[in-house]
Amino acid sequence: MLSVSSCKNRDHLREMDVQFSKEVIERLAAAQSVAVLTGAGISAESGVPTFRGEDGIWNKLKPEELASMDAFLKNPDLVWQWYQYRRELMNDIEPNPGHYVLAEMESDYDDFTLSTQNIDGLHIRAKSQRVLELHGNILRNRCNTCGKLTDENFPGDNVARCQCGGLIRPDVVWFGEMLPQEPLYDSFAAAERADVYLSIGTSAVVQPAASLPLEAKHQGAYVVEINLERTEISAMVDESYLGTAGTLLPELYRLVKEERTRENKD
Ligand code: BJW
Ligand code: ZN
């Protein structure tokens, strides 16, 4: 069993040795408002490749050549094929314990907000009721001309066309594009009122999502990061735990529930 120790601003180097601080457990047990930002790392254990880092897909491919409007207009079929390939990769994936524990937390807290940069829909499949998808969803498409959204699946390697004649594109947010207004607004509002903010499996380099944990910190939240490695924000958060989200997050929440039970008995 993991033991509890009080430690701040400390990286925990080996997952099996991770000791969650008394402070994070107590703060989560007492929190009225909790907000979370997830990134590709939380889905890595489900088999979805991350973008950056050791096994990141962008070690081999340049993002601006595929995830931008310029790229799409220059070579729509190539960009379409890239997304068809990634949709295929996602056919057989399932949520993992990291996704499931966030759905459980949502039902335990009165004020809980889950913002994700992921486009894989795994939080929804893990039964999180309200997921603020900041970068869209790869399972949806929309017309590049009239904007019509569709869940229709368009097979094939050539970009599909809308009834209006426009090109069909995945409903994801590319570089240089605005994030959807309402989820973005709600994410910042949640960061501002959070007692505890969790940043899980994100390299925290892509704006504006990467500003959420720091905004939370600025507004007084206790900010905790879980990631395989140190990130851009590790030095600025209250605690940074190194390890896999699918193991550490359920373990952390198990300790929080234990703490609640203890408090109720006292
Ligand atoms: C584990 C793990 C395990 C692994 N457990 N952990 C300079 C300053 C500020 C901003 C900019 C700037 N220059 C340009 C910008 C703007 C730009 C930006 O931020 N660029 C930066 C890269 C510099 N941002 C934008 O363009 C955004 N729009 C915008 O700003 O609009 C306003 C505007 C408009 C016009 C002009 C100017 C301003 C839009 C950003 C859209 C991002 N879209 C993508 C692609 C989506 C579609 C697709 O999938 O193809 O979204 S980019 C890609 O990165 C994807 C992700 O959601 C996003 C974030 O990545 P994430 O989730 O953090 O993944 P990774 O791979 O980076 O990290 C994974 C982490 O997990 C790693 O740290 C691992 O260690 C860890 N990990 N396994 C725990 N098991
Ligand atoms: Zn159209």
Side-chain angles (χ1 to χ4, degrees), residues 143 145-148 162-166:
C143 172
T145 303
C146 72
K148 191 175 146 200
C162 175
Q163 281 167 336
C164 81

Side-chain angles (χ1 to χ4, degrees), residues 40 45 51-52 83 86 135 173 176-177 202-203 207 227 245:
E45 289 155 84
F51 295 91
R52 303 166 190 85
Y83 283 96
R86 288 179 50 209
H135 293 164
V173 181
E177 294 185 327
T202 174
S203 57
Q207 297 294 347
N227 198 302

Side-chain angles (χ1 to χ4, degrees), residues 109-150:
Y109 287 97
D110 288 339
D111 183 11
F112 182 88
T113 304
L114 173 59
S115 305
T116 187
Q117 298 165 87
N118 298 346
I119 59 170
D120 54 33
L122 285 178
H123 286 302
I124 294 167
R125 287 180 52 201
K127 300 280 188 287
S128 279
Q129 298 298 309
R130 182 166 170 260
V131 184
L132 304 179
E133 292 185 317
L134 295 172
H135 293 164
N137 192 311
I138 197 171
L139 302 174
R140 263 191 326 261
N141 285 297
R142 76 168 190 267
C143 172
N144 198 39
T145 303
C146 72
K148 191 175 146 200
L149 283 170
T150 173

